[in-house]
């Protein structure tokens, strides 16, 4: 059974149009009342755009705009020339993209992501991870996945105190307020400093959970509170691997809602899934199976279309030390066992050398 199928050209074109308009609208919404300038910076060998401005206290602030892609450059040019305004008909474009074959997320999940976006979470360096990032990656890459897209959770991540990973953004936002004031209201499972939590449940819908993650650090396994975000972040091993290179995509639902999100680069998402497969055990085995499904689909696509980027990410993981190499190899062996049709021989040989 194939792991993915290429979307029709009409769906890919519709998504490209949607992404263009959505990116411009998000950027205009963020900076329309601010006076500042755009600039590019290199972080972890990748180039990103930022909008710099001074707040009411005269302090220099930076809004994260996005990676140096054609869509972001177009949005920046439109913002620099306000007489060139993007088409505001976002809903028809979103509905068309879904009707033509793009994969939608659940409307209630998109509304929650939209809420955090409106509060500036992605401009402050936040990243959508987990299954919703996998769904968004499929549409961005122009493919439909055959498995691995079901979830009741929405997962976000932020580099937190990891300066070597963090995008240089210092925006003050209130994630806790965004969630607790949302529709029925999300309730933190464990309250931390200031009432903030690292996991939230939606009142009246206990299956809907939002989790906030960050990379592991020397301070222990407990959640850490990030004051400028007013949210707790649960440290996880290997999380930084997905946060070191981010891209942008559009998350869409069948009702015509769409939101531009920051997500991990596809090759790093794929390798990260293999790294955490070995960490899953016992009750987490179901999640490990989904990790393998997602990794398999991405490996299948990337080996055929972008093998260089996948190999670069793979060797980056191997070079980070014996613990990383051990988990990477365990994940790759599990992937080869579950999907022998994938051509993983070169990677297996390199990891075992």
């Amino acid at each position: 059974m194939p792991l993915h199928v290429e979307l029709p050209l009409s769906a890919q074109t519709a998504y490209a149009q949607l992404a263009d308009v959505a990116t411009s609208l998000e950027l205009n919404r963020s900076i329309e009342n601010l006076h500042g300038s755009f600039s590019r910076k290199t972080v972890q060998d990748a180039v990103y755009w930022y909008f710099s401005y001074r707040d009411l206290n005269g302090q220099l602030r930076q809004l994260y705009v996005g990676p140096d892609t054609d869509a972001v450059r177009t949005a920046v040019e439109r913002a620099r020339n306000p007489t060139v305004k993007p088409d505001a008909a976002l809903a028809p474009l979103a509905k068309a993209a879904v009707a033509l074959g793009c994969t939608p997320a659940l409307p209630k999940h998109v509304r929650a992501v939209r809420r955090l976006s409106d509060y500036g979470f992605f401009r402050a360096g936040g990243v959508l991870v987990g299954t919703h990032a996998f769904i968004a990656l499929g549409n961005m890459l122009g493919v439909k996945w055959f498995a691995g897209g079901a979830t009741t959770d929405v997962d976000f991540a932020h580099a937190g105190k990891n300066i070597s990973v963090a995008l240089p953004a210092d925006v003050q936002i209130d994630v806790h307020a965004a969630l607790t004031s949302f529709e029925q209201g999300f309730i933190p499972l464990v309250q931390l400093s200031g009432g903030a939590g690292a996991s939230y449940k939606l009142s009246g819908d206990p299956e809907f959970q939002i989790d906030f993650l960050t990379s592991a650090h020397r301070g222990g396994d407990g959640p850490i509170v990030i004051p400028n975000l007013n949210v707790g972040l649960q440290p996880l091993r290997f999380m930084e691997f997905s946060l070191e290179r981010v891209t942008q995509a559009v998350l869409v639902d069948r009702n015509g809602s769409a939101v531009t999100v920051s997500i991990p680069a596809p090759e790093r998402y794929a390798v990260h899934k293999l790294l955490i497969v070995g960490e899953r055990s016992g009750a987490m085995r179901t999640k490990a199976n989904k990790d393998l499904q997602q990794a398999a689909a991405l490996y299948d696509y990337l080996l055929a279309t972008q093998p260089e980027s996948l190999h670069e990410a793979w060797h980056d993981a191997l070079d980070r030390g014996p613990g990383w190499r051990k988990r990477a190899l365990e994940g790759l062996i599990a992937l080869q066992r579950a999907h022998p049709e994938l051509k993983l021989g070169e990677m297996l040989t390199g990891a075992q050398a």
Side-chain angles (χ1 to χ4, degrees), residues 19-319:
D20 184 25
V21 173
T23 300
S24 293
L25 288 174
E26 292 287 347
L27 183 54
N28 287 349
R29 185 182 295 114
S30 297
I31 69 169
E32 60 185 357
N33 296 317
L34 300 174
H35 297 287
S37 61
F38 292 96
S39 62
R40 288 185 295 182
K41 290 187 177 182
T42 300
V43 182
Q44 292 286 337
D45 298 324
V47 180
Y48 300 98
W49 280 90
Y50 295 86
F51 181 78
S52 300
Y53 68 101
R54 291 193 179 277
D55 62 17
L56 295 177
N57 297 320
Q59 185 173 356
L60 185 65
R61 301 286 187 182
Q62 288 186 325
L63 291 173
Y64 170 65
V65 174
D68 187 32
T69 63
D70 289 341
V72 170
R73 285 191 292 270
T74 298
V76 168
E77 188 59 33
R78 282 176 171 167
R80 283 171 167 168
N81 298 278
T83 56
V84 182
K85 296 183 178 180
D87 182 5
L90 195 61
L93 291 174
K95 289 180 179 179
V98 172
L100 290 168
C102 290
T103 301
L106 291 177
K108 62 182 179 181
H109 292 172
V110 175
R111 287 198 300 273
V113 176
R114 168 85 268 168
R115 179 74 166 187
L116 286 179
S117 176
D118 288 343
Y119 268 67
F121 180 72
F122 297 112
R123 297 293 178 218
V127 181
L128 180 69
V129 295
T131 298
H132 288 86
F134 178 68
I135 293 171
L137 279 170
N139 293 332
M140 183 190 78
L141 296 172
V143 298
K144 180 180 287 291
W145 311 122
F146 282 104
T151 185
T152 59
D153 301 339
V154 181
D155 297 327
F156 298 94
H158 192 279
K161 298 178 180 180
N162 193 332
I163 303 302
S164 66
V165 173
L167 295 172
D170 54 2
V171 182
Q172 297 282 333
I173 66 171
D174 194 338
V175 171
H176 180 69
L179 293 177
T180 54
S181 61
F182 173 81
E183 295 181 358
Q184 297 163 285
F186 283 89
I187 302 171
L189 297 185
V190 177
Q191 289 198 338
L192 305 169
S193 175
S199 294
Y200 289 77
K201 289 281 191 182
L202 182 61
S203 177
D205 188 357
E207 289 189 349
F208 186 2
Q209 180 168 324
I210 291 180
D211 296 315
F212 293 91
L213 311 170
T214 192
S215 54
H217 57 88
R218 295 181 180 180
D221 298 330
I224 59 172
V225 176
I226 305 301
N228 70 303
L229 302 179
N230 194 23
V231 72
L233 303 174
Q234 178 62 51
L236 287 182
R237 287 191 70 191
F238 311 121
M239 190 71 244
E240 65 267 32
F241 194 79
S242 282
L243 302 181
E244 289 176 358
R245 300 281 180 88
V246 296
T247 187
Q248 282 183 324
V250 177
L251 193 68
V252 62
D253 70 23
R254 63 178 179 271
N255 296 330
S257 294
V259 54
T260 300
V261 295
S262 297
I263 58 174
E267 66 276 6
R268 300 189 83 79
Y269 186 98
V271 174
H272 178 250
K273 284 300 173 183
L274 295 188
L275 286 164
I276 63 177
V277 163
E279 297 288 291
R280 309 284 199 191
S281 62
M284 303 296 287
R285 184 52 55 190
T286 299
K287 285 195 173 184
N289 291 335
K290 186 163 72 171
D291 291 333
L292 281 176
Q293 288 176 338
Q294 294 182 4
L298 278 163
Y299 265 71
D300 187 41
Y301 172 83
L302 292 169
L303 284 170
T305 60
Q306 304 173 32
E308 297 85 2
S309 63
L310 181 59
H311 282 272
E312 179 183 352
W314 171 248
H315 287 289
D316 181 8
L318 294 182
D319 291 342

